[in-house]
Each structure stands twice: as structure tokens, then as C-alpha cells.
Amino acid sequence: MQVPEEFLVLPLVTENWQMLPFDSCLWTSELTQVRWSRSGPEYRDPQIDKGYYRKELGKTQHVKAAPTALALKPSSVFENPLISTFTNMMMKGGNKVLARSLMTHTLADVKRKQFEKYHAASVEEQVTREHNPYTIFHQALKNCEPVTGLVPILKGGHFYQVPVPLANQWHYFLAMEWMIIEYWEKKYRRVLMPEKLSYELLQAFHNKDPVIPRKHDMYKMAEAEQVLAHYTDSRWHRKDGAGCSAC
Amino acid sequence: TMLKGMTRLISRVHKLDPGRLLHTGTQAPQNLAAHLDDQVSSERRRAISRTSENDPAKHEQQHEGQHYNIPLSDLKALFPQGLPPRYVKQVKTFNEACLMVRKPALELLHHLKNTNFAHPAVRYVLYGEKGTGKTLSLCHIIHFCAKQDWLVLHIPDAHLWVKNCRDLMQSTYNKQRFDQPLEASIWLKNFKTANERFLSQIKTQEKYVWNKRESTEQGSPLGEVVEQGMTRVRSATDAVGIVLKELKRQSSLGTFRLLVAVDGVNALWGKTTLKREDKSPIAPEELALIYNLRKVVRNDWNGGAIVLTLSQTGSLFKPRKAWLPQELLGKEGFDALDPFIPILVSNYNPKEFESCLQYYLENSWLQHEKAHTEEGKRELLFLSNSNPGQLERLCACL
């Protein structure tokens, strides 16, 4: 499927190089070295493309032993990075098997509900109804994504909540987190996760989910604190971080 | 002429490389080509996956791998119970009930068509690994027999009778045995729905006294016994026993043909999880329902056939990987059922797999973009190992 652009600019974490976490005051858009490298700079990244080896090999060069993020790319055709992240967030106690089965049941439930409504709907609705659970999932998260968020910044000994444009991964992280927490905290006694989550996803797809007012609340708070927006200036100019000593 | 040329070109392209889009020069032929492309591919799909032959009696080798349609009204009448729950969900989702014609069912149909009703009833045992389609093959056979006007005695899952029984009472007929009123009354209700027309025709051959005030005279229709069991729940188990005994006795007379279809027959000879008040375990033969069912499954009557299915899924105290008859039935069960005709139900062969996928694509059940491609199909084949149950679960979330 067409991978959305946001995923193509995911920070490619190589074995030694990493982008620092967002809310660090030392945050820049540069890469910094976080671990010692096992292989020196003259070593190349491993070659995973089989076609390369079928052609005639030219000069050989030493190749790194450990795989990079490119090599760890999943081999399944049906893989979807957003769904995998959501599954990881649903996971509790490392029980990936359960989390994955819940995810598959959720997607199946979404599809079944749409099919049932299709049979009951009129002809005009039948044409416009979306059956693909993956498009519904992506659209639902897009509807819930906040664009600006509040970040605590230390200034003059006090923490101020400053509105700031959020980075890409924070958009969907917050949307997913709110959706899961919505289930964990506000379910009726014995409602199963796939059932409630499928209902929530469909509601969010139609812009009716309770998560969406939460996003609007965030925007309202951001507007209220608009005056403090200039507090972020210190973060962009002072790379040494002398002014901001939080984190 | 341009249309003919286009269709020939498209069919040739399909033969070469069905995945690629057709690239043509100008706009109008491209739209036309896309439209014809869709039509041709959907027709191709129908040709592979569906057949218009909806009568199971006429299913032959050439229909193998194709789906045939069962009208929903028939489905409710024939199968008030007994369909696997995932299949019921699928029927509800697609608004149609389609069953695949497969080799084990065709083999059984051939045997049933050539049964000699003067000889003792032959036992056929459908066995196979989990998720290969034993229950649905049984349903195919039941559909055939119902169409041929046989009396179908269908026990949907014998495992339900040996576990999780809330109200177990001492039998009124025989003090050593136990009654299960709830299970018996549910079964009687479903039996009545399935075989309405036979209940008035068949007459009882002896008098049955229920208690001091109620009794059923000799020669009264079997429907009365069923009614008695449904209204007086305490005597439901005895009513079931009477029904089984009468049917077995009268099938030899030749007025009707009897099909005994039991799903999960290994429950009859295993262990139960039920306990007496003093916490000692109950053996299956101490349950009146199981005792009577064992008598029916013996081949000392003629005028019909017995089709049985082994099932590990609901079984008690059997390892998960066990699927062979000897493993699931145990020595006692195997000796009781011996001699029988074993019929292996295996995973899909490539033709059946393709047909199943085409059926899903036709109903637009496979929504993922990659599911249409060759890589997607190969991945599904690998992940499911052509197992029908696994394939259904995988396709549900794609």
C-alpha cells in the first residue's frame, strides 16, 4: 500500500546513531553518537538486496556484522508500521501474542461491522462506505491527531506550559495513546477490547469519538497559553542549554 | 471489432501476467480496457470459485473446489444448531451461505448414493487435523440427505454433553444413571425444527409411562413424545432415549431412511468433567444421553447410514496435537466403532486454495491492497499452510 510520507522520514536508527528524545533541551535536528560502534568507519552497511548478489560481484569490502534498521525491515507484505506501533502500545507485560491477536480481532470487527451496515444501507451509502479496516484506522488516527501540544519549559525557576508544534511521531503517538487509554479507563464491566476499540475507531472515522474533544481541549489550552509561545525561543538558539537545565 | 480486439488482448495479457495493469496509448481505450478488465477478472473469479449446481446430489468431480449456495431459509430449517460459530458469522456478514465442494464429501456422497439398505448401517468416520473442514463436510452430507428426504439425527457436538452440566439429576428410569434435562430439551427443540414432517408419520411401537398421571399410548405419533420431553423438562432425557430407540427400530422397516450424524464422537468414549456430590468422577456410560447414543451408533440396524466426526477441539484430556482415530477414540472407542470407513479430511490443495481466495475477493472480504497480488497470495499460503481454518482467520483481519 502507499506508505504515508510521515513514515518515510522516520528517524532511521542505525546501530550507533540516534536522534535524542524530543523533550530534551539539547534537542536539535542533528544526529549524535550515543553508543560506541563495533565496526569502524571503513565498514559498509550490510547488503540485504538479493539481486545484488546474483549479479557479478566486484571488489569486496568488509561488511558490518550487526544488521541496521534497513536490514530489520519486516519481510511480510502486509506489514504496516503504524499498526505495529499500536500493537506495541497495547501490549502489557510483554505479551505480544495477546496484543497482536487483539489487534487482528479489532480490524476484523471493524470490517464485519462495516459489512453489516452495508447490507442494511441504501444504495447511495453503499457506494461511499469504506470497507478497508486499514484506511479506517489511518483516517481515525488522523482525525484524532493534535498538531500543537503543550510542553513544560523551565524559565526563571518555574515550569510554564508552552504551546509548541509537535513533531510527526508525537502526532500519532498521542492519538494512539488517547485511544487506548479511552478504552482502559472508560469501558463497561466485561466489554472486550476488540469490540470497544472497533467501535471507537469507527466513531473517530466519522469524527464522533470522545477522543476528538480531548484534542480540541488541548488546542484550547494551547491558545490560552499563546502569550508564552516566545519561551521556546531559548530552545532554538541556545544549543549549549545553559538557560534550560530541566531534563 | 475494437471490443473484440480489446477482450482478446486483455485475456492474453491475463494469461501472461495477471498482476500488471494494461498500458494503452489513448485515454478512451484505457478506460474501456479497465472496465473490461474488471468484468473479465470477476467472471474468471466466478468460474473458479462458484458453481451454479445447488443440489448436492448432482455434485461430481468437476465441481471439486467450487462453492455452491445454500438458500438462507433452508439453512435455518436444516441447521438450527451444528454449524461452526465462525461459519455462522461469515454467513451473517456475507448475507449468503456458500459451501465448498471437496473430495472427502464427494467420496461420502458416492458411498451414500450406493448404500444397500438391506445391509447393516455402515459407519463413516471423518478425521483430520484441526481446522481442515470436518464439520462443514458433515453439514454438506446432512444437506444432501435432507434434500433426499432422509430423517437426519444430528448431534451437533457430543462434547457439550460431557462437560459443564449445571443440573445433573439421578435418572428416573435407571437409578445408576444421570439425567441432563437442559441439554436434552435443547436437542429435542432443534430435532423438532429439523424433522417436522416425520414426527407425525412415525408412530411409537410401545406404551411409555412417564409418571402416575402421564403416559404415551402405543401407536401415537413421535411428535407427542418430543412435546412431552420439551414441556416436562425432567423427563427430557428419557424422551431423547425413546426417540433414539424408536427411530433405530423403525428404520429397518423401510418407511424412511435414517442418517445418524454425530460431531465429536470421541466424547462418547473419553472421560467427563462431571462429578457426583461426593466429588467422584462420572464415567460417560453413566450419563443416560451418552448411553443411548452409544446404542444408536452400533451397526446392528439397517436402513440408513452413520456419519461420525472426530474432534480434538472440544475434547477432554486429549493432547492438542492428537488427530488420528486411535489417539482420539482410545482403545474402547476404537473397538466399539470397529469396523468403520475412515475418510481423511486434509488441507486445501492448490486449486481449492485459489478458489477460496477468489471467493473472498469476489465478496470483497480481502480489503488489503497487497492481498490481490501474487506476493500476498504466496504469503497467505505460507502462513496458513493451506489450512482452511487458519486461512479464514488470516483473511478476517486483512
Side-chain angles (χ1 to χ4, degrees):
Chain A
M1 80 177 241
Q2 188 62 33
V3 178
E5 274 177 2
E6 300 91 85
F7 305 133
L8 294 173
V9 300
L10 271 175
L12 291 177
V13 176
T14 60
E15 61 175 20
N16 309 314
W17 301 82
Q18 202 179 46
M19 284 182 84
L20 288 177
F22 174 74
D23 53 358
S24 152
C25 283
L26 294 169
W27 188 82
T28 60
S29 54
E30 290 173 355
L31 296 175
T32 54
Q33 186 150 9
V34 288
R35 294 183 201 101
W36 303 115
S37 58
R38 237 170 266 128
S39 343
E42 68 272 10
Y43 284 72
R44 264 186 322 130
D45 285 322
Q47 186 65 256
I48 41 172
D49 177 27
K50 273 192 182 168
Y52 174 78
Y53 292 105
R54 290 201 187 108
K55 288 184 255 175
E56 280 185 20
L57 293 178
K59 260 194 313 189
T60 51
Q61 201 184 354
H62 294 298
V63 173
K64 279 182 199 161
T68 60
L70 283 168
L72 288 170
K73 188 184 72 149
S75 51
S76 164
V77 164
F78 305 114
E79 189 65 39
N80 192 323
L82 199 60
I83 302 263
S84 317
T85 327
F86 196 74
T87 321
N88 288 335
M89 287 176 68
M90 277 207 293
M91 175 164 66
K92 273 188 175 178
N95 195 349
K96 186 69 164 273
V97 171
L98 183 62
R100 216 178 116 98
S101 80
L102 288 174
M103 190 73 228
T104 47
H105 286 314
T106 310
L107 292 170
D109 271 354
V110 163
K111 218 193 328 181
R112 267 189 224 274
K113 282 181 186 168
Q114 287 295 83
F115 265 80
E116 276 164 35
K117 284 185 207 162
Y118 176 85
H119 290 304
S122 61
V123 182
E124 302 93 45
E125 279 181 39
Q126 275 183 359
V127 171
T128 53
R129 194 165 279 286
E130 180 61 59
H131 288 270
N132 192 338
Y134 295 87
T135 25
I136 293 178
F137 182 78
H138 286 293
Q139 189 56 45
L141 285 186
K142 258 210 172 64
N143 290 344
C144 296
E145 272 172 359
V147 172
T148 49
L150 294 172
V151 161
I153 290 190
L154 183 67
K155 196 123 178 125
H158 295 284
F159 277 101
Y160 296 100
Q161 295 287 333
V162 178
V164 138
L166 295 176
N168 261 331
Q169 60 258 50
W170 270 88
H171 290 178
Y172 51 83
F173 168 73
L174 277 175
M176 289 196 279
E177 191 185 40
W178 288 345
M179 202 159 260
I180 294 174
I181 286 174
E182 173 76 29
Y183 166 72
W184 280 341
E185 285 170 6
K186 288 194 197 150
K187 61 174 169 169
Y188 187 63
R189 206 170 62 93
R190 281 189 64 151
V191 169
L192 295 168
M193 191 165 201
E195 208 182 301
K196 176 120 206 287
L197 261 188
S198 55
Y199 175 73
E200 267 181 34
L201 282 171
L202 285 170
Q203 294 286 81
F205 181 68
H206 296 295
N207 269 318
K208 289 180 202 151
D209 200 46
V211 173
I212 290 174
R214 192 166 168 177
K215 173 179 84 160
H216 291 310
D217 285 343
M218 180 96 131
Y219 286 168
K220 275 185 217 157
M221 289 203 294
E223 261 178 68
E225 310 277 352
Q226 198 69 37
V227 283
L228 306 171
H230 67 278
Y231 281 3
T232 53
D233 291 349
S234 55
R235 307 176 60 175
W236 303 102
H237 295 305
R238 301 183 69 161
K239 281 188 191 168
D240 54 341
C244 326
S245 53
C247 356
Chain B
T1 41
M2 194 181 87
L3 273 169
K4 260 195 232 167
M6 277 282 130
T7 31
R8 236 179 276 146
L9 188 65
I10 290 160
S11 56
R12 223 182 294 151
V13 168
H14 265 290
K15 276 186 208 132
L16 291 172
D17 195 354
R20 296 269 168 77
L21 284 170
L22 193 65
H23 290 291
T24 48
T26 48
Q27 273 296 333
Q30 198 172 41
N31 292 336
L32 205 71
H35 177 66
L36 285 168
D37 192 11
D38 279 341
Q39 253 186 2
V40 167
S41 68
S42 66
E43 274 162 29
R44 246 178 101 240
R45 271 185 214 143
R46 281 194 92 85
I48 299 173
S49 69
R50 295 227 199 207
T51 173
S52 49
E53 188 57 71
N54 286 342
D55 187 9
K58 301 195 190 132
H59 284 156
E60 298 293 335
Q61 196 71 26
Q62 78 244 39
H63 298 122
E64 191 188 325
Q66 292 179 331
H67 293 83
Y68 80 98
N69 198 10
I70 307 177
L72 288 174
S73 49
D74 275 359
L75 202 76
K76 263 186 227 160
L78 287 174
F79 302 113
Q81 48 183 0
L83 287 176
R86 283 197 83 95
Y87 184 69
V88 170
K89 262 195 212 169
Q90 187 184 300
V91 165
K92 192 175 163 210
T93 312
F94 292 166
N95 238 10
E96 59 170 8
C98 278
L99 216 54
M100 197 198 271
V101 178
R102 295 184 70 198
K103 220 169 86 173
L106 283 172
E107 205 183 310
L108 249 184
L109 286 175
H110 174 75
H111 288 309
L112 285 175
K113 282 176 203 169
N114 301 340
T115 38
N116 186 341
F117 294 106
H119 290 176
V122 184
R123 285 182 284 224
Y124 305 94
V125 173
L126 290 162
Y127 72 103
E129 286 179 326
K130 182 177 166 182
T132 41
K134 304 181 281 285
T135 311
L136 280 180
S137 301
L138 191 69
C139 294
H140 190 172
I141 304 301
I142 291 172
H143 187 213
F144 163 75
C145 291
K147 276 272 162 93
Q148 302 283 305
D149 226 25
W150 292 36
L151 204 168
V152 174
L153 200 74
H154 180 43
I155 286 102
D157 194 358
H159 293 297
L160 296 172
W161 289 359
V162 293
K163 55 182 178 180
N164 298 339
C165 179
R166 292 281 174 92
D167 38 2
L168 205 64
M169 6 185 279
Q170 206 183 29
S171 169
T172 41
Y173 184 69
N174 186 333
K175 296 277 178 249
Q176 258 71 46
R177 291 192 218 134
F178 291 92
D179 260 2
Q180 284 157 299
L182 202 62
E183 279 89 5
S185 55
I186 293 171
W187 185 82
L188 279 172
K189 193 167 71 147
N190 290 323
F191 177 70
K192 190 178 162 190
T193 330
N195 298 305
E196 199 78 64
R197 57 187 187 283
F198 287 104
L199 291 178
S200 44
Q201 289 170 19
I202 302 169
K203 312 280 181 214
T204 52
Q205 284 181 343
E206 54 179 80
K207 181 175 168 175
Y208 297 107
V209 179
W210 300 104
N211 50 32
K212 268 185 267 188
R213 270 163 278 175
E214 287 164 19
S215 66
T216 317
E217 298 302 319
Q218 187 182 355
S220 54
L222 207 63
E224 267 192 40
V225 175
V226 175
E227 281 299 329
Q228 176 72 29
M230 273 161 54
T231 43
R232 294 264 175 281
V233 182
R234 283 182 77 91
S235 41
T237 321
D238 294 328
V240 172
I242 292 169
V243 163
L244 295 176
K245 188 165 85 168
E246 287 295 325
L247 288 177
K248 187 175 152 177
R249 215 191 289 175
Q250 293 187 27
S251 64
S252 336
L253 303 173
T255 39
F256 60 90
R257 292 172 197 171
L258 183 64
L259 175 79
V260 178
V262 184
D263 203 337
V265 79
N266 45 324
L268 301 185
W269 288 281
K271 282 191 244 183
T272 64
T273 46
L274 306 171
K275 294 199 170 76
R276 276 175 262 252
E277 277 113 18
D278 54 357
K279 309 280 170 103
S280 56
I282 302 178
E285 47 272 1
E286 287 170 33
L287 290 166
L289 284 175
I290 306 291
Y291 184 79
N292 292 325
L293 202 52
R294 278 193 195 179
K295 283 197 266 183
V296 180
V297 168
R298 282 218 308 259
N299 57 350
D300 48 4
W301 54 279
N302 57 345
I306 310 173
V307 182
L308 310 165
T309 312
L310 297 177
S311 158
Q312 195 283 328
T313 318
S315 67
L316 298 162
F317 307 106
K318 292 279 180 231
R320 202 159 59 86
K321 298 281 181 183
W323 59 279
L324 293 165
Q326 182 70 40
E327 291 166 351
L328 283 176
L329 289 169
K331 184 173 184 308
E332 204 193 324
F334 199 90
D335 290 337
L337 279 186
D338 204 16
F340 61 86
I341 298 182
I343 299 178
L344 172 65
V345 183
S346 57
N347 290 332
Y348 282 151
N349 55 30
K351 185 179 163 203
E352 286 172 341
F353 181 81
E354 187 61 40
S355 160
C356 185
L357 278 185
Q358 294 301 340
Y359 173 66
Y360 286 141
L361 285 170
E362 212 188 311
N363 284 52
S364 43
W365 185 235
L366 286 175
Q367 286 283 323
H368 202 284
E369 296 81 7
K370 288 283 161 82
H372 303 259
T373 59
E374 282 304 314
E375 304 164 322
K377 283 185 191 165
R378 261 184 281 143
E379 183 162 338
L380 280 174
L381 185 71
F382 174 73
L383 286 174
S384 64
N385 194 24
S386 311
N387 185 291
Q390 274 299 351
L391 182 64
E392 198 268 315
R393 268 159 237 265
L394 282 169
C395 293
C397 64
L398 282 176

